Amino acid sequence: MERYPFSYDPARPFIQQAGEWVADVFYDILPEAGFEVRDEQIYMAFQLEKAFAEKKTIFAEAGVGTGKTLVYLLYAVCYARYTRKPAVIACADESLIEQLVKPEGDIAKLAQHLGLVIDARLGKSPDQYLCLRKLDDARMKGDEEMLWDGIAAGLPDFVYSHAPMQSFHAYGDRRDYPQLTDEQWHTVGWDSFQDCFTCDRRHRCGQTLSRDHYRRAADLIICSHDYYLEHVWTYDGRKREGQLPLLPEHSSVVFDEGHLLESAAMKALGYKMKHVVFEELITRLLQNEIRESLAVLIDDAIVQSEAMFAAFGRFSRRIPGSDRKEIVLGDELLREVHQFRGLLTAIEEELVFESELYTLDDYQLRIVEEHLEMMQKALMLFERSEALICWVTESPEGLTLSIMPKSVKEVLEEHVFGLHMPIVFSSATLSVDGSFRYVADSLGIQSYLSFSVDSPYEYEQQMQALAPEWDLADGFDGKMKQAVRLLQKTGGRALMLFKTREELRLFKQKAAEEPGLAGMRFYFEGDGEISRLIAAFQREEESVLCAVSLWEGLDVPGPSLSNVVIWSLPFPPHDPVFIAKRKTAADPFEEVDLPYMLLRFRQGIGRLIRSREDRGIAVILGEEMRTRPDVKERVLAVLPEGVHLQENES
């Protein structure tokens, strides 16, 4: 394979030569292959050339249909080959990853029409892989026994063999089990409380084998925002444990749908704790020959851990519309936390003596010490409650405590934006009122390049925006009648976007009882693997896809998607993360709620028109369009140019 797709002259700057080749691609090569090359693509190419040459962060806001993905892929591949380090393409979620790498996706198109062999590999999040231990547990419990036995029978032979593996391949990807609902997948899929370091099957695990595969990528590693930020957050810890970082050294990063990076950062850059996990981990030390003083401390710590988590249960309250419970900090809870921290400190000091006696397995000791250090860092935040965001969630195994710092800026600045490498934020929605400061400030980005180009589509002729009226006193049922009428109008062919899973569940229940929807095929997020649901929706033209997470990235051109229904305006949830952001804002609605909603709303209606031939309606059912004139005015301002809202369509 040729290293570069052009003749490289070492006497001239590489990026300049790459830019000249990219210009040839858009001016000559792709038009000859039948592609429509747009001025917006050419403009974006010149802007990215500067970002790669200067190794800077750039906000690349390009409307739907500008072909922005092709542009950043060309530069990322060239720069990867120049530096001999792969580029990382981080997408907002797993469904966007699948769309990028599908057989008819942009990577395949470039490879075909440019005669390139592009080595692109997926670096999926661990929770996208089957956990062998959880599968065994599910089979032992006997629930849905036939289902779990069928999955086990389909695993490769080497999984159950004790012989050295002469050959192997990655397996256990979530998309290989499209028949499983999200709830079923949670039963057997990896989760953050699995102790992979001490698992006796880790070397035959599907996610371990896939990690070895993508590390060898020459050009591109494609992962989610969550996974990239988990790499950032665990980088130092994995080094200390003698583990490889999740991702190899890389040359550049593209954050596709980059406006969602802050939400992913706040999810990834944090800590999770469970009493049952702590107890299981710490009691391993009791299986060794340890001094009595340490054994007593371990017993005391287990008792205090139970007491502390019980206090978290008492001092928490439910948040409507969220599965997270807000923690109410007070003196009694803080005393329980402080007492537990004191025991952890004493155990850590005792372990120093134990390590000098060489009575503990060094590997096991390192794992325990790392876990205790994590817990100490997490619980220390309680002593600085102004820097803390925390909540608990309930599960059959007990409470899960989640803790994160309020600001992720310092971590991102040190480990991402301070690395002096090209970083591209790509999205159709990165600015608010023409400014990129909302996204830049939330991530702590001080210096950046930016540009905006509009979509080339003629929205005035292609899109109709509707905000039908109904009696607000009728509540959900009144909105349901309007949705049924408009779904009938387009014969299905609709994407319905919901703000919360509760809304989606209630609609699913009502739709099953609605005579006007009888015979219409519905696909609901959560009922199967998401990329397979999308493929079925695209294949069956008169179907309806209902989702919470597909506001961004879904690309279904043609008549299969002729109607986008915005069930509720996508204001941020009332969960602890946004509660904390609101508390620190001078004007929470203007600074937090409204910018978030407008960015997501623009993304949602952007799912409708994906080609010059597309036609359709965007239906806005949010009650605020009737009750909040100020919100309605801001929504109207972000509709595509030439599109006017109709409230009583003919």
Side-chain angles (χ1 to χ4, degrees), residues 346-488:
I347 290 173
E348 288 175 320
E349 291 172 353
E350 289 283 335
L351 288 177
V352 173
F353 292 110
E354 290 289 345
S355 65
E356 294 173 353
L357 298 175
Y358 300 102
T359 58
L360 295 176
D361 177 76
D362 184 61
Y363 183 71
Q364 288 272 9
L365 178 61
R366 219 166 50 239
I367 298 301
V368 172
E369 287 177 331
E370 189 70 29
H371 192 81
L372 295 182
E373 182 181 352
M374 177 276 290
M375 296 181 78
Q376 287 279 33
K377 287 180 180 178
L379 295 175
M380 278 176 62
L381 289 174
F382 278 89
E383 297 178 358
R384 298 186 299 114
S385 58
E386 74 283 353
L388 170 73
I389 300 174
C390 58
W391 66 88
V392 293
T393 52
E394 295 176 325
S395 71
E397 298 82 27
L399 290 180
T400 297
L401 171 65
S402 297
I403 301 172
M404 63 174 61
K406 279 186 179 177
S407 175
V408 299
K409 298 178 182 179
E410 293 80 6
V411 175
L412 294 178
E413 184 176 2
E414 178 181 355
H415 294 286
V416 183
F417 304 116
L419 297 182
H420 193 57
M421 69 176 174
I423 297 176
V424 179
F425 283 79
S426 173
S427 177
T429 56
L430 287 168
S431 65
V432 178
D433 296 331
S435 171
F436 295 93
R437 289 266 33 120
Y438 173 73
V439 175
D441 289 347
S442 68
L443 297 170
I445 301 173
Q446 302 299 323
S447 175
Y448 58 87
L449 305 173
S450 65
F451 70 89
S452 294
V453 291
D454 292 330
S455 170
Y457 298 147
E458 297 178 357
Y459 284 97
E460 186 174 3
Q461 283 77 41
Q462 294 181 257
M463 176 187 288
Q464 183 182 14
L466 308 176
E469 295 184 355
W470 75 94
D471 189 343
L472 294 178
D474 291 340
F476 197 98
D477 290 337
K479 189 185 288 193
M480 188 75 183
K481 289 178 182 177
Q482 292 295 330
V484 170
R485 180 176 64 83
L486 290 161
L487 289 174
Q488 291 173 336

Side-chain angles (χ1 to χ4, degrees), residues 135-198:
L135 177 61
D136 286 346
D137 289 343
R139 296 175 69 193
M140 290 287 290
K141 290 176 182 176
D143 296 335
E144 301 181 276
E145 186 175 352
M146 295 292 291
L147 176 63
W148 307 136
D149 285 348
I151 290 175
L155 296 177
D157 292 340
F158 62 74
V159 171
Y160 296 107
S161 171
H162 296 289
M165 289 192 295
Q166 300 298 319
S167 63
F168 57 87
H169 57 84
Y171 67 93
D173 190 321
R174 169 69 174 106
R175 67 167 298 155
D176 296 335
Y177 306 99
Q179 76 280 12
L180 297 185
T181 66
D182 285 355
E183 184 177 354
Q184 290 171 325
W185 176 254
H186 180 71
T187 302
V188 295
W190 182 92
D191 64 64
S192 59
F193 291 106
Q194 299 307 305
D195 187 2
C196 299
F197 296 130
T198 59

Side-chain angles (χ1 to χ4, degrees), residues 304-355:
Q304 182 57 31
S305 174
E306 283 187 300
M308 181 183 71
F309 275 91
F312 279 119
R314 292 196 306 274
F315 296 104
S316 60
R317 58 192 176 203
R318 293 196 175 279
I319 302 171
S322 174
D323 61 350
R324 297 173 175 178
K325 298 177 69 175
E326 182 181 11
I327 296 173
V328 182
L329 294 175
D331 291 342
E332 183 178 343
L333 178 58
L334 291 173
R335 278 196 300 272
E336 297 286 359
V337 171
H338 186 73
Q339 188 171 343
F340 183 63
R341 279 199 60 223
L343 289 168
L344 293 185
T345 300
I347 290 173
E348 288 175 320
E349 291 172 353
E350 289 283 335
L351 288 177
V352 173
F353 292 110
E354 290 289 345
S355 65

Side-chain angles (χ1 to χ4, degrees), residues 123-308:
K124 286 194 170 185
S125 297
D127 61 8
Q128 294 296 304
Y129 287 95
L130 184 73
C131 174
L132 296 175
R133 293 179 69 172
K134 289 181 72 175
L135 177 61
D136 286 346
D137 289 343
R139 296 175 69 193
M140 290 287 290
K141 290 176 182 176
D143 296 335
E144 301 181 276
E145 186 175 352
M146 295 292 291
L147 176 63
W148 307 136
D149 285 348
I151 290 175
L155 296 177
D157 292 340
F158 62 74
V159 171
Y160 296 107
S161 171
H162 296 289
M165 289 192 295
Q166 300 298 319
S167 63
F168 57 87
H169 57 84
Y171 67 93
D173 190 321
R174 169 69 174 106
R175 67 167 298 155
D176 296 335
Y177 306 99
Q179 76 280 12
L180 297 185
T181 66
D182 285 355
E183 184 177 354
Q184 290 171 325
W185 176 254
H186 180 71
T187 302
V188 295
W190 182 92
D191 64 64
S192 59
F193 291 106
Q194 299 307 305
D195 187 2
C196 299
F197 296 130
T198 59
C199 178
D200 59 353
R201 307 175 76 174
R202 65 186 182 276
H203 297 305
R204 299 175 188 272
C205 170
Q207 71 156 294
T208 302
L209 299 179
S210 71
R211 195 172 295 166
D212 179 72
H213 175 70
Y214 73 66
R215 284 182 185 282
R216 304 173 189 274
D219 296 324
L220 304 174
I221 296 175
I222 303 162
C223 65
S224 65
H225 289 178
D226 290 353
Y227 194 54
Y228 185 82
L229 291 164
E230 186 181 351
H231 158 76
V232 170
W233 189 237
T234 61
Y235 184 89
D236 291 335
R238 293 182 67 86
K239 287 274 194 178
R240 285 194 301 271
E241 294 164 3
Q243 303 286 325
L244 289 172
L246 293 179
L247 294 169
E249 293 295 320
H250 42 279
S251 56
S252 63
V253 184
V254 176
F255 292 115
D256 204 347
E257 304 299 353
H259 63 288
L260 297 175
L261 187 64
E262 185 194 16
S263 297
M266 299 191 81
K267 176 182 174 183
L269 308 188
Y271 309 92
K272 286 187 177 182
M273 296 166 50
K274 265 185 180 178
H275 167 71
V276 293
V277 173
F278 168 71
E279 183 177 15
E280 192 276 333
L281 188 74
I282 201 73
T283 51
R284 291 178 189 169
L285 298 179
L286 297 176
Q287 300 169 8
N288 297 271
E289 295 182 7
I290 59 175
R291 289 171 299 125
E292 183 179 357
S293 57
L294 176 57
V296 170
L297 281 172
I298 290 173
D299 288 337
D300 290 345
I302 292 172
V303 172
Q304 182 57 31
S305 174
E306 283 187 300
M308 181 183 71

Side-chain angles (χ1 to χ4, degrees), residues 95 99 487 492-498 504 507 520-551 554-556 560-566 607:
S95 64
Q99 297 219 53
L487 289 174
R493 301 179 175 87
L495 169 68
M496 300 193 68
L497 294 171
F498 296 86
L504 175 61
F507 176 84
M520 197 174 289
R521 182 63 183 269
F522 281 83
Y523 293 100
F524 295 95
E525 182 178 357
D527 284 357
E529 195 273 326
I530 190 65
S531 67
R532 300 298 180 92
L533 294 178
I534 293 170
F537 165 65
Q538 188 168 13
R539 185 172 59 250
E540 299 179 31
E541 185 177 311
E542 297 182 1
S543 61
V544 179
L545 177 60
C546 302
V548 175
S549 66
L550 295 178
W551 293 79
L554 181 68
D555 187 16
V556 180
S560 290
L561 207 173
S562 301
N563 183 356
V564 170
V565 179
I566 308 292
R607 301 310 99 212

